[in-house]
Amino acid sequence: MKTSIIACLFILFGITKANRPKIITMEKKNYYCEYCGKKFPDVRTLTSATCTYHPDGSNKGRHKLYEGTEKKEYTCKYCGKKFPSIMVMVGGQCVNHPNGMNKGRHAPAL
Ligand SMILES: [Zn+2]
Ligand SMILES: [Zn+2]
């Protein structure tokens, strides 16, 4: 009798434990600029500052929020080349850029 109560408690405990990770995953998220790869703590800070890698020219516009998720590696949407971060990716010119070969930077796919 006693053992079955303990087993029952174990099952209940197991269920609540299984439900817990969903709450824990509310961890702090980082936001990245699609043009320069700079990291920001929130979207407001990101969109209120000018971007040195803006396609219209350096500081001619604001950072643009990269709407994809944080990844281990990022793929260029034009040429498919993989990079360890957006910052590394946008530092290079893309051979498949829509404006022409090496006429623009790599851009991260979502
Ligand atoms: Zn930027
Ligand atoms: Zn590319």
Side-chain angles (χ1 to χ4, degrees), residues 33 35-36 51 63:
C33 170
Y35 302 138
C36 67
C51 183
H63 296 288

Side-chain angles (χ1 to χ4, degrees), residues 75-81 83 89 92-97 104-107:
T75 309
C76 171
K77 62 181 172 186
Y78 304 134
C79 69
K81 226 176 137 179
F83 300 87
M89 172 186 283
Q93 308 281 301
C94 183
V95 288
N96 276 355
H97 196 274
R105 305 172 192 282
H106 298 287

Side-chain angles (χ1 to χ4, degrees), residues 32-110:
Y32 296 89
C33 170
E34 191 180 305
Y35 302 138
C36 67
K38 221 175 143 183
K39 189 163 85 175
F40 295 88
D42 57 77
V43 180
R44 206 177 58 162
T45 315
L46 185 151
T47 53
S48 63
T50 53
C51 183
T52 48
Y53 276 29
H54 196 276
D56 291 345
S58 189
N59 294 317
K60 291 272 168 68
R62 297 174 198 282
H63 296 288
K64 188 194 173 197
L65 175 68
Y66 169 66
E67 292 178 78
T69 50
E70 270 189 296
K71 297 175 183 70
K72 282 205 176 68
E73 55 175 23
Y74 296 86
T75 309
C76 171
K77 62 181 172 186
Y78 304 134
C79 69
K81 226 176 137 179
K82 286 185 167 73
F83 300 87
S85 73
I86 298 175
M87 209 173 259
V88 174
M89 172 186 283
V90 297
Q93 308 281 301
C94 183
V95 288
N96 276 355
H97 196 274
N99 289 352
M101 191 191 266
N102 294 325
K103 291 275 168 69
R105 305 172 192 282
H106 298 287
L110 293 182

